[in-house]
Amino acid sequence: MKRRALLVGALAGSFALPASALPSFAEVKAAHPTSETLFLDRHGEVLQRQRTDPSVRQGAWVPLSEVSPALRSALVYSEDRRFYEHAGVDWQAVASAAWGNLWNTRTRGASTITMQLAGLLDGDLKAGTQGRSWTQKAGQAVWAQWLETRWRKDQILEAYLNRVPFRSELVGIDALSRSLFAKAPHGLDADEAAITAALVRAPNAAPERVAERACEVQQAMARAQGAKADCLSVRLLSGTVLRERRWAASEGDAPHATRRALAEWRQQAGTRAAPPQIRTTLWAPLQREAQTLLQRQLRSLLGRRVEDGAVVVLDNTSGEVLAWVGSSGLLSQAAEVDGVTALRQPGSTLKPFLYAQAIGEKRLSAASLIEDAPTHIPTAGGLYIPQNYDRNFRGWVSVRTALASSLNIPAVRTLAMVSPEDFAAQLLRLGLPLRESGDYYGLGLALGSAEVTLLSLTNAYRTLANQGRHGPVAPLLAGPRNAVRSEPVLDPGAAFIVGDILSDANARAATFGTDSLLATRVWTAVKTGTSKDMRDNWAVGWSQRYTVGAWVGNASGAPMGDVSGTTGAAPVWAGLVRWLHERQPSRAPAPPAGLVAQTVRFGQQLEPARREWFIAGTEQPLFALGTGGDSGAPELRPRIVSPTTGTILAIDPDIPPAHQRLTLKAETGDVRWRVDGKPLGKGQEVQWMPWPGRHRIELVNARGELLDSVRIEVRGAGVKNGGAPPGKPTR
């Protein structure tokens, strides 16, 4: 005893630690590293767990009370049988180990759980490739005795279980139990506990050696109780679990949204590291409901060649994302693809923005008449012949009917009034990521020939909900925010009128019927869309507080089998609106200043009389076919027939300039021509001498208002012999 006291005193003098240098149990627990990040919803509920450290696999801190008694017993019996009796150093084990070394006898070893914990907490005591040096072992002993004077035994065992390395990249009991046994630590049984204890002694041993060691632990514990252990089950289990990893890198209800939230956090923090927790703006119950509705709808479409979908829900006021479902999960063969941010063709869902622009520019009103009849429109690629979804034509219809019933030909005629270039500029102001010019898309832009994302499209509809004011989608990271930034990009009266049309069940009845899913019990405005060959279908709309967007299709771009917006995405949209407003009302918005309501009648019994909204100055009581100024049928603008946008001409330098002319031709004769902003002539046809460069040819009326324009390019040598300058009129 005297020699042991002298030895301890010498060690304490060599490795004296001030009390302030020794971490407390609370400090070690608070600083516990984890390779996982928990993503929380706006109220603190866990939504997703995602591995964010590829170098190690370490789970959350597990209290000792949540570790199975079988494991606690097996670990103490295997590593430190006198754990509850010694004060950090087991001097009996030290003596036994020394005696065994003297006579080359195999012993358990003298390192206690407390000493091992000391080596885990202090990097200077970490074992090297040749094991620990004598001084490191002495340091462990001093640390262990310091720990025992300030920590309770249960705290020491708890910290050890959470910090001990087990196998390969696995550190701590949480990572081990979830990776090998696919369960929480409190559920480990006797066989699993024996394997776990065996891995502490030999973390990377072969499965056969681990099984042998686990069997020894079970037999020793059984002998201590006067029983006998059967090792067959533990041997079978070892051979299975040590070759598998069952803990997925990511688990939860919002994998795509949380990946985006992590990217936002890293960008904000300026680091590639990740915190243990990130709070998001998502709302967990809504997120789960959206996921459930989407998967249920896709299962109902089994056999129609559709497996993917996506959903997003935005708060109208703040722009915060409340739900973000990027895929159908296990139903998809491309579950990693985020359908919320993938570019897809939006079909008819762009029509509300087109009509809002035309109404805001006072080209149309909700009661204006547009002809829904077969038409052939010349374009750079040939004749464009738009068709309605059902291949039927309805003759002259009002804008309200055309938009609510999603008629294609009136939309194309409206785009011809607005022009593809101006409409594309409007879509860009709404935040839609168009990658080409309006002239590139042509008149097909009215029917969704561009590509957009579900997130940007839903946010553009939020602009309609906010009476034309557009603001960005808020970051997914929850926290204090600056005032919501928004700017007017649509006439507020036009946005209100479009919302009023999209909420009108009677106006959409011609196409969708009076009892469709789009007719909700609370006030909502909604539009569906289906892209070419049924590759995508959409349902996007808003209530008083929320904007909801749903997409159904295939991530591969493969066409679906007879799935439209009403049979594909609309049930998901309607289910979410019903869930959101189960106990919350949604009232129609109040009209903004500058609108007037007036009763209108339609001649030739085209439509029943009704009360209609107008931007002040565009109202009229009668809409009928005829030549009078009060007909309500918009004047169809003359178009340029030749040349078409994209035409490339070549000048022959060997032909005199006076003999090289380009014929400009319009649909009608009461028009004027301009080239690069300079007057050229008037009439249905004029001659223009080409000049090298890119040119804009414009068709205007007698008041100078633009009717149509095309862009062409002239290539070749410069014109010689006193040729006319660009744009100079010729006769």
Side-chain angles (χ1 to χ4, degrees):
M1 286 295 287
K2 185 175 181 180
R3 289 181 179 178
R4 187 176 74 179
L6 290 173
L7 177 59
V8 172
L11 290 175
S14 301
F15 298 94
L17 294 174
S20 60
L22 185 68
S24 67
F25 173 77
E27 289 171 336
V28 170
K29 182 177 180 180
H32 176 68
T34 173
S35 62
E36 317 296 314
T37 296
L38 293 180
F39 293 86
L40 313 179
D41 84 336
R42 61 197 305 113
H43 302 299
E45 184 175 343
V46 176
L47 266 174
Q48 187 80 22
R49 176 198 55 78
Q50 183 173 325
R51 182 176 180 179
T52 50
D53 184 351
S55 64
V56 71
R57 201 73 198 270
Q58 191 163 4
W61 184 278
V62 180
L64 190 62
S65 60
E66 296 181 15
V67 177
S68 74
L71 176 57
R72 281 180 271 167
S73 299
L75 187 65
V76 170
Y77 197 87
S78 173
E79 291 299 305
D80 190 357
R81 296 178 190 176
R82 299 185 63 250
F83 171 69
Y84 292 103
E85 301 171 22
H86 62 67
V89 179
D90 186 351
W91 295 107
Q92 290 185 15
V94 170
S96 177
W99 185 260
N101 288 335
L102 180 63
W103 297 100
N104 289 324
T105 302
R106 181 180 173 187
T107 62
R108 182 184 62 81
S111 180
T112 65
I113 286 177
T114 313
M115 291 173 65
Q116 292 181 51
L117 177 60
L120 296 172
L121 296 178
D122 186 348
D124 292 336
L125 302 180
K126 184 178 180 181
T129 55
Q130 302 298 322
R132 288 187 176 88
S133 65
W134 183 90
T135 55
Q136 285 181 311
K137 292 180 179 179
Q140 274 187 290
V142 174
W143 258 84
Q145 292 186 97
W146 275 102
L147 282 172
E148 292 274 357
T149 61
R150 287 166 174 78
W151 290 28
R152 301 192 310 268
K153 287 287 188 179
D154 61 317
Q155 293 175 333
I156 293 171
L157 185 56
E158 180 176 318
Y160 177 75
L161 281 165
N162 281 283
R163 297 298 294 271
V164 65
F166 281 101
R167 186 174 185 83
S168 184
E169 61 178 3
L170 303 178
V171 175
I173 187 57
D174 190 50
L176 177 95
S177 59
R178 295 182 186 278
S179 295
L180 296 192
F181 308 116
K183 61 175 65 174
H186 66 77
L188 298 181
D189 60 24
D191 288 345
E192 294 161 342
I195 293 171
T196 302
L199 288 172
V200 173
R201 184 68 59 86
N204 296 312
E208 296 77 14
R209 180 68 188 98
V210 174
E212 181 182 345
R213 172 62 184 156
C215 181
E216 292 173 358
V217 171
Q218 283 192 327
Q219 289 176 337
M221 293 178 67
R223 282 195 301 270
Q225 298 172 0
K228 187 176 180 180
D230 180 5
C231 292
L232 178 60
S233 60
V234 77
R235 292 183 187 278
L236 293 174
L237 182 61
S238 296
T240 301
V241 300
L242 295 180
R243 292 181 172 88
E244 298 179 3
R245 287 291 184 271
R246 306 182 183 183
W247 198 21
S250 182
E251 293 176 324
D253 300 312
H256 301 88
T258 51
R259 281 205 295 267
R260 184 181 178 104
L262 178 60
E264 290 179 358
W265 186 92
R266 283 172 167 166
Q267 183 178 19
Q268 187 180 93
T271 177
R272 291 297 300 168
Q277 289 187 352
I278 293 178
R279 187 182 288 258
T280 70
T281 62
L282 299 175
W283 184 17
L286 176 62
Q287 178 76 15
R288 288 192 291 269
E289 182 68 15
Q291 192 176 58
T292 299
L293 285 170
L294 178 62
Q295 292 178 346
R296 183 185 303 160
Q297 173 63 6
L298 290 177
R299 289 191 180 97
S300 74
L301 297 174
L302 191 65
R304 297 200 195 181
R305 304 191 305 276
V306 53
E307 63 178 32
D308 293 301
V311 180
V312 67
V313 180
L314 303 177
D315 181 279
N316 289 343
T317 303
S318 66
E320 291 181 337
V321 181
L322 305 179
W324 179 311
V325 179
S327 82
S328 58
L330 296 177
L331 301 179
S332 172
Q333 296 184 41
E336 291 299 307
V337 176
D338 190 349
V340 173
T341 58
L343 288 168
R344 313 288 300 201
Q345 288 192 334
S348 294
T349 57
L350 296 186
K351 291 176 182 175
F353 309 118
L354 173 60
Y355 284 107
Q357 186 172 359
I359 292 171
E361 293 174 355
K362 299 184 180 180
R363 300 175 185 270
L364 294 173
S365 70
S368 296
L369 296 173
I370 306 181
E371 189 178 18
D372 180 30
T375 184
H376 299 67
I377 303 173
T379 68
L383 288 178
Y384 179 52
I385 308 175
Q387 298 285 333
N388 287 325
Y389 180 80
D390 58 5
R391 302 286 177 175
N392 293 322
F393 304 99
R394 294 165 177 79
W396 288 91
V397 296
S398 69
V399 165
R400 177 174 289 271
T401 299
L403 174 56
S405 294
S406 197
L407 303 180
N408 287 343
I409 295 172
V412 172
R413 293 183 184 275
T414 300
L415 181 56
M417 299 179 202
V418 172
S419 86
E421 195 70 14
D422 289 347
F423 183 44
Q426 178 65 74
L427 294 178
L428 288 172
R429 288 191 291 271
L430 286 161
L432 298 177
L434 271 62
R435 296 184 292 184
E436 305 291 346
S437 67
D439 288 340
Y440 173 87
Y441 297 114
L443 296 177
L445 188 57
L447 309 182
S449 59
E451 290 184 325
V452 302
T453 66
L454 177 61
L455 183 62
S456 64
L457 183 64
T458 305
N459 193 48
Y461 271 72
R462 187 172 74 91
T463 302
L464 291 170
N466 290 330
Q467 295 195 346
R469 296 194 67 88
H470 176 74
V473 176
L476 274 165
L477 297 179
R481 305 200 186 282
N482 298 324
V484 177
R485 307 185 319 276
S486 65
E487 59 180 358
V489 297
L490 288 172
D491 182 274
F496 172 87
I497 291 171
V498 165
D500 187 65
I501 293 172
L502 295 180
S503 68
D504 188 345
N506 291 326
R508 73 169 75 98
T511 297
F512 301 99
T514 57
D515 60 346
S516 75
L517 287 168
L518 307 180
T520 56
R521 68 177 184 83
V522 297
W523 184 92
T524 55
V526 60
K527 184 72 185 72
T528 61
T530 303
S531 68
K532 185 180 179 181
D533 297 328
M534 292 190 178
R535 296 180 187 277
D536 312 274
N537 64 68
W538 313 72
V540 191
W542 69 95
S543 64
Q544 183 180 9
R545 183 173 177 182
Y546 308 104
T547 300
V548 180
W551 165 80
V552 167
N554 292 303
S556 64
M560 298 172 284
D562 192 25
V563 179
S564 66
T566 52
T567 59
V572 180
W573 179 89
L576 278 174
V577 169
R578 184 167 53 250
W579 189 91
L580 285 165
H581 292 285
E582 187 175 4
R583 295 181 180 85
Q584 185 180 52
S586 176
R587 299 179 178 86
L595 287 185
V596 295
Q598 178 176 312
T599 300
V600 297
R601 295 181 298 107
F602 296 88
Q604 294 83 37
Q605 297 183 336
L606 293 174
E607 294 186 8
R610 63 172 180 262
R611 193 165 179 79
E612 190 61 87
W613 289 103
F614 296 90
I615 293 178
T618 65
E619 68 271 19
Q620 60 187 68
L622 176 65
F623 289 80
L625 301 179
T627 58
D630 64 346
S631 69
E635 178 186 355
L636 297 181
R637 291 182 152 198
R639 312 299 297 174
I640 297 174
V641 176
S642 177
T644 57
T645 287
T647 298
I648 299 176
L649 304 174
I651 294 177
D652 189 335
D654 296 325
I655 300 177
H659 296 160
Q660 299 191 60
R661 292 291 185 270
L662 176 65
T663 300
L664 310 183
K665 185 176 180 179
E667 290 177 335
T668 62
D670 188 20
V671 291
R672 274 75 171 161
W673 295 88
R674 293 193 304 226
V675 176
D676 298 330
K678 298 177 182 180
L680 176 66
K682 65 179 181 178
Q684 187 171 5
E685 292 186 12
V686 297
Q687 300 292 313
W688 173 62
M689 186 183 74
W691 195 264
R694 291 186 174 91
H695 304 282
R696 178 182 173 93
I697 301 173
E698 297 174 325
L699 195 67
V700 300
N701 58 22
R703 298 186 297 274
E705 297 171 337
L706 182 66
L707 302 175
D708 194 11
S709 68
V710 297
R711 287 183 172 86
I712 68 170
E713 183 178 353
V714 179
R715 299 176 182 174
V719 179
K720 303 177 182 178
N721 302 324
K728 183 176 180 179
T730 59
R731 298 181 183 275

